[in-house]
PDB file of all heavy atoms in Angstrom:
ATOM      1  N   ILE R1435     115.757 100.499 108.772  1.00  0.00           N
ATOM      2  CA  ILE R1435     114.706 101.486 108.542  1.00  0.00           C
ATOM      3  C   ILE R1435     115.037 102.793 109.252  1.00  0.00           C
ATOM      4  O   ILE R1435     114.927 103.876 108.662  1.00  0.00           O
ATOM      5  CB  ILE R1435     113.346 100.939 109.021  1.00  0.00           C
ATOM      6  CG1 ILE R1435     112.874  99.823 108.084  1.00  0.00           C
ATOM      7  CG2 ILE R1435     112.303 102.049 109.093  1.00  0.00           C
ATOM      8  CD1 ILE R1435     111.617  99.126 108.552  1.00  0.00           C
ATOM      9  N   SER R1437     117.927 103.962 110.145  1.00  0.00           N
ATOM     10  CA  SER R1437     119.076 104.630 109.545  1.00  0.00           C
ATOM     11  C   SER R1437     118.693 105.383 108.276  1.00  0.00           C
ATOM     12  O   SER R1437     119.068 106.547 108.083  1.00  0.00           O
ATOM     13  CB  SER R1437     120.171 103.605 109.226  1.00  0.00           C
ATOM     14  OG  SER R1437     120.646 102.984 110.406  1.00  0.00           O
ATOM     15  N   ALA R1465     126.151 102.307 107.918  1.00  0.00           N
ATOM     16  CA  ALA R1465     127.592 102.562 108.033  1.00  0.00           C
ATOM     17  C   ALA R1465     127.862 104.045 108.210  1.00  0.00           C
ATOM     18  O   ALA R1465     128.728 104.435 109.013  1.00  0.00           O
ATOM     19  CB  ALA R1465     128.311 102.033 106.794  1.00  0.00           C
ATOM     20  N   ARG R1492     125.415 113.647 110.948  1.00  0.00           N
ATOM     21  CA  ARG R1492     125.025 112.515 111.789  1.00  0.00           C
ATOM     22  C   ARG R1492     124.079 112.909 112.910  1.00  0.00           C
ATOM     23  O   ARG R1492     123.340 112.073 113.439  1.00  0.00           O
ATOM     24  CB  ARG R1492     126.270 111.869 112.395  1.00  0.00           C
ATOM     25  CG  ARG R1492     127.029 110.948 111.453  1.00  0.00           C
ATOM     26  CD  ARG R1492     128.247 110.402 112.158  1.00  0.00           C
ATOM     27  NE  ARG R1492     128.701 109.145 111.573  1.00  0.00           N
ATOM     28  CZ  ARG R1492     129.712 108.428 112.048  1.00  0.00           C
ATOM     29  NH1 ARG R1492     130.370 108.837 113.137  1.00  0.00           N
ATOM     30  NH2 ARG R1492     130.061 107.300 111.466  1.00  0.00           N
ATOM     31  N   THR R1493     124.082 114.163 113.261  1.00  0.00           N
ATOM     32  CA  THR R1493     123.266 114.613 114.402  1.00  0.00           C
ATOM     33  C   THR R1493     122.186 115.611 113.977  1.00  0.00           C
ATOM     34  O   THR R1493     121.651 116.325 114.817  1.00  0.00           O
ATOM     35  CB  THR R1493     124.164 115.261 115.473  1.00  0.00           C
ATOM     36  OG1 THR R1493     124.870 116.368 114.891  1.00  0.00           O
ATOM     37  CG2 THR R1493     125.154 114.260 116.027  1.00  0.00           C
ATOM     38  N   MET R1520     116.638  95.638 101.571  1.00  0.00           N
ATOM     39  CA  MET R1520     115.586  94.639 101.778  1.00  0.00           C
ATOM     40  C   MET R1520     115.314  93.879 100.483  1.00  0.00           C
ATOM     41  O   MET R1520     115.500  94.411  99.386  1.00  0.00           O
ATOM     42  CB  MET R1520     114.302  95.317 102.265  1.00  0.00           C
ATOM     43  CG  MET R1520     114.379  95.894 103.660  1.00  0.00           C
ATOM     44  SD  MET R1520     112.778  96.592 104.156  1.00  0.00           S
ATOM     45  CE  MET R1520     113.191  97.190 105.800  1.00  0.00           C
ATOM     46  N   ARG R1545     104.224  93.217  95.123  1.00  0.00           N
ATOM     47  CA  ARG R1545     103.929  93.853  93.824  1.00  0.00           C
ATOM     48  C   ARG R1545     105.166  94.545  93.256  1.00  0.00           C
ATOM     49  O   ARG R1545     105.277  94.713  92.042  1.00  0.00           O
ATOM     50  CB  ARG R1545     102.805  94.887  93.972  1.00  0.00           C
ATOM     51  CG  ARG R1545     101.424  94.368  94.345  1.00  0.00           C
ATOM     52  CD  ARG R1545     100.738  93.685  93.159  1.00  0.00           C
ATOM     53  NE  ARG R1545     101.258  92.370  92.946  1.00  0.00           N
ATOM     54  CZ  ARG R1545     100.861  91.277  93.580  1.00  0.00           C
ATOM     55  NH1 ARG R1545      99.926  91.357  94.508  1.00  0.00           N
ATOM     56  NH2 ARG R1545     101.390  90.102  93.317  1.00  0.00           N
ATOM     57  N   ASP R1548     106.815  92.403  90.724  1.00  0.00           N
ATOM     58  CA  ASP R1548     106.015  91.898  89.609  1.00  0.00           C
ATOM     59  C   ASP R1548     106.529  92.411  88.265  1.00  0.00           C
ATOM     60  O   ASP R1548     107.095  93.515  88.198  1.00  0.00           O
ATOM     61  CB  ASP R1548     104.554  92.365  89.740  1.00  0.00           C
ATOM     62  CG  ASP R1548     103.788  91.643  90.824  1.00  0.00           C
ATOM     63  OD1 ASP R1548     104.300  90.622  91.323  1.00  0.00           O
ATOM     64  OD2 ASP R1548     102.694  92.097  91.171  1.00  0.00           O
ATOM     65  N   ALA R1568      91.425 101.821  79.614  1.00  0.00           N
ATOM     66  CA  ALA R1568      90.797 100.722  80.356  1.00  0.00           C
ATOM     67  C   ALA R1568      90.929  99.409  79.594  1.00  0.00           C
ATOM     68  O   ALA R1568      91.183  98.353  80.189  1.00  0.00           O
ATOM     69  CB  ALA R1568      89.329 101.045  80.616  1.00  0.00           C
ATOM     70  N   ALA R1593      93.235 103.308  84.126  1.00  0.00           N
ATOM     71  CA  ALA R1593      94.060 102.097  84.074  1.00  0.00           C
ATOM     72  C   ALA R1593      93.984 101.327  85.386  1.00  0.00           C
ATOM     73  O   ALA R1593      93.812 100.105  85.407  1.00  0.00           O
ATOM     74  CB  ALA R1593      95.507 102.467  83.752  1.00  0.00           C
ATOM     75  N   HIS R1594      94.115 102.039  86.514  1.00  0.00           N
ATOM     76  CA  HIS R1594      94.013 101.372  87.820  1.00  0.00           C
ATOM     77  C   HIS R1594      92.654 100.699  87.994  1.00  0.00           C
ATOM     78  O   HIS R1594      92.557  99.544  88.417  1.00  0.00           O
ATOM     79  CB  HIS R1594      94.203 102.389  88.946  1.00  0.00           C
ATOM     80  CG  HIS R1594      95.587 102.941  89.075  1.00  0.00           C
ATOM     81  ND1 HIS R1594      96.704 102.142  89.215  1.00  0.00           N
ATOM     82  CD2 HIS R1594      96.043 104.227  89.101  1.00  0.00           C
ATOM     83  CE1 HIS R1594      97.776 102.919  89.323  1.00  0.00           C
ATOM     84  NE2 HIS R1594      97.400 104.171  89.257  1.00  0.00           N
ATOM     85  N   ALA R1596      90.496  99.682  85.748  1.00  0.00           N
ATOM     86  CA  ALA R1596      90.280  98.543  84.852  1.00  0.00           C
ATOM     87  C   ALA R1596      90.988  97.295  85.364  1.00  0.00           C
ATOM     88  O   ALA R1596      90.452  96.184  85.274  1.00  0.00           O
ATOM     89  CB  ALA R1596      90.773  98.889  83.450  1.00  0.00           C
ATOM     90  N   SER R1629      93.024  97.253  98.977  1.00  0.00           N
ATOM     91  CA  SER R1629      92.147  96.133  99.356  1.00  0.00           C
ATOM     92  C   SER R1629      92.104  95.043  98.293  1.00  0.00           C
ATOM     93  O   SER R1629      91.708  93.913  98.586  1.00  0.00           O
ATOM     94  CB  SER R1629      90.731  96.649  99.630  1.00  0.00           C
ATOM     95  OG  SER R1629      90.140  97.174  98.454  1.00  0.00           O
ATOM     96  N   LYS R1645     103.409 118.541  95.409  1.00  0.00           N
ATOM     97  CA  LYS R1645     104.023 119.757  94.861  1.00  0.00           C
ATOM     98  C   LYS R1645     104.437 119.487  93.419  1.00  0.00           C
ATOM     99  O   LYS R1645     104.753 118.347  93.061  1.00  0.00           O
ATOM    100  CB  LYS R1645     105.233 120.174  95.703  1.00  0.00           C
ATOM    101  CG  LYS R1645     104.870 120.570  97.132  1.00  0.00           C
ATOM    102  CD  LYS R1645     106.089 121.027  97.914  1.00  0.00           C
ATOM    103  CE  LYS R1645     105.701 121.432  99.335  1.00  0.00           C
ATOM    104  NZ  LYS R1645     106.879 121.858 100.132  1.00  0.00           N
ATOM    105  N   PHE R1649     106.350 115.535  90.949  1.00  0.00           N
ATOM    106  CA  PHE R1649     105.814 114.601  89.958  1.00  0.00           C
ATOM    107  C   PHE R1649     106.840 114.095  88.940  1.00  0.00           C
ATOM    108  O   PHE R1649     106.791 112.921  88.555  1.00  0.00           O
ATOM    109  CB  PHE R1649     104.577 115.204  89.300  1.00  0.00           C
ATOM    110  CG  PHE R1649     103.440 115.332  90.277  1.00  0.00           C
ATOM    111  CD1 PHE R1649     103.200 116.522  90.939  1.00  0.00           C
ATOM    112  CD2 PHE R1649     102.646 114.241  90.580  1.00  0.00           C
ATOM    113  CE1 PHE R1649     102.182 116.632  91.876  1.00  0.00           C
ATOM    114  CE2 PHE R1649     101.623 114.329  91.514  1.00  0.00           C
ATOM    115  CZ  PHE R1649     101.393 115.534  92.166  1.00  0.00           C
ATOM    116  N   THR R1663     106.565 101.355  78.936  1.00  0.00           N
ATOM    117  CA  THR R1663     105.607 102.411  79.243  1.00  0.00           C
ATOM    118  C   THR R1663     104.684 102.630  78.060  1.00  0.00           C
ATOM    119  O   THR R1663     105.151 102.856  76.939  1.00  0.00           O
ATOM    120  CB  THR R1663     106.328 103.732  79.591  1.00  0.00           C
ATOM    121  OG1 THR R1663     107.063 103.563  80.806  1.00  0.00           O
ATOM    122  CG2 THR R1663     105.332 104.876  79.768  1.00  0.00           C
ATOM    123  N   SER R1672     103.050 117.685  77.842  1.00  0.00           N
ATOM    124  CA  SER R1672     102.525 117.066  79.064  1.00  0.00           C
ATOM    125  C   SER R1672     103.611 116.369  79.862  1.00  0.00           C
ATOM    126  O   SER R1672     104.658 115.981  79.343  1.00  0.00           O
ATOM    127  CB  SER R1672     101.432 116.052  78.710  1.00  0.00           C
ATOM    128  OG  SER R1672     101.996 114.933  78.069  1.00  0.00           O
ATOM    129  N   ALA R1690     102.944 103.700  72.140  1.00  0.00           N
ATOM    130  CA  ALA R1690     101.996 104.800  72.042  1.00  0.00           C
ATOM    131  C   ALA R1690     100.786 104.379  71.222  1.00  0.00           C
ATOM    132  O   ALA R1690     100.912 103.672  70.227  1.00  0.00           O
ATOM    133  CB  ALA R1690     102.659 106.025  71.411  1.00  0.00           C
ATOM    134  N   LYS R1712     106.836 102.360  69.711  1.00  0.00           N
ATOM    135  CA  LYS R1712     106.078 101.382  68.946  1.00  0.00           C
ATOM    136  C   LYS R1712     104.596 101.735  68.942  1.00  0.00           C
ATOM    137  O   LYS R1712     103.993 101.945  69.987  1.00  0.00           O
ATOM    138  CB  LYS R1712     106.264  99.979  69.532  1.00  0.00           C
ATOM    139  CG  LYS R1712     105.527  98.903  68.746  1.00  0.00           C
ATOM    140  CD  LYS R1712     105.817  97.511  69.252  1.00  0.00           C
ATOM    141  CE  LYS R1712     105.056  96.464  68.431  1.00  0.00           C
ATOM    142  NZ  LYS R1712     105.346  95.083  68.868  1.00  0.00           N
ATOM    143  N   ALA R1733      95.035  82.903  82.524  1.00  0.00           N
ATOM    144  CA  ALA R1733      94.864  84.195  81.858  1.00  0.00           C
ATOM    145  C   ALA R1733      94.777  84.027  80.355  1.00  0.00           C
ATOM    146  O   ALA R1733      93.978  84.678  79.686  1.00  0.00           O
ATOM    147  CB  ALA R1733      96.028  85.127  82.222  1.00  0.00           C
ATOM    148  N   ALA R1734      95.614  83.155  79.810  1.00  0.00           N
ATOM    149  CA  ALA R1734      95.607  82.928  78.366  1.00  0.00           C
ATOM    150  C   ALA R1734      94.273  82.350  77.908  1.00  0.00           C
ATOM    151  O   ALA R1734      93.721  82.746  76.877  1.00  0.00           O
ATOM    152  CB  ALA R1734      96.744  81.994  77.981  1.00  0.00           C
ATOM    153  N   LYS R1751      76.653  92.949  62.027  1.00  0.00           N
ATOM    154  CA  LYS R1751      76.464  94.027  61.063  1.00  0.00           C
ATOM    155  C   LYS R1751      76.361  95.373  61.756  1.00  0.00           C
ATOM    156  O   LYS R1751      76.814  96.394  61.228  1.00  0.00           O
ATOM    157  CB  LYS R1751      75.209  93.758  60.227  1.00  0.00           C
ATOM    158  CG  LYS R1751      75.003  94.737  59.085  1.00  0.00           C
ATOM    159  CD  LYS R1751      73.810  94.338  58.244  1.00  0.00           C
ATOM    160  CE  LYS R1751      73.615  95.336  57.090  1.00  0.00           C
ATOM    161  NZ  LYS R1751      72.454  94.976  56.248  1.00  0.00           N
ATOM    162  N   LEU R1752      75.765  95.398  62.959  1.00  0.00           N
ATOM    163  CA  LEU R1752      75.613  96.659  63.669  1.00  0.00           C
ATOM    164  C   LEU R1752      76.965  97.210  64.103  1.00  0.00           C
ATOM    165  O   LEU R1752      77.257  98.383  63.901  1.00  0.00           O
ATOM    166  CB  LEU R1752      74.696  96.473  64.877  1.00  0.00           C
ATOM    167  CG  LEU R1752      74.292  97.769  65.590  1.00  0.00           C
ATOM    168  CD1 LEU R1752      72.883  97.665  66.133  1.00  0.00           C
ATOM    169  CD2 LEU R1752      75.249  98.095  66.725  1.00  0.00           C
ATOM    170  N   GLY R1796      77.510 110.899  68.804  1.00  0.00           N
ATOM    171  CA  GLY R1796      77.322 109.498  68.461  1.00  0.00           C
ATOM    172  C   GLY R1796      78.259 108.561  69.168  1.00  0.00           C
ATOM    173  O   GLY R1796      78.508 108.701  70.378  1.00  0.00           O
TER     174      GLY R1796
END
Side-chain angles (χ1 to χ4, degrees):
I1435 289 174
S1437 297
R1492 281 179 156 183
T1493 58
M1520 291 183 180
R1545 294 285 78 84
D1548 287 348
H1594 291 305
S1629 65
K1645 296 182 179 179
F1649 293 96
T1663 294
S1672 70
K1712 182 175 180 178
K1751 187 175 180 180
L1752 188 146

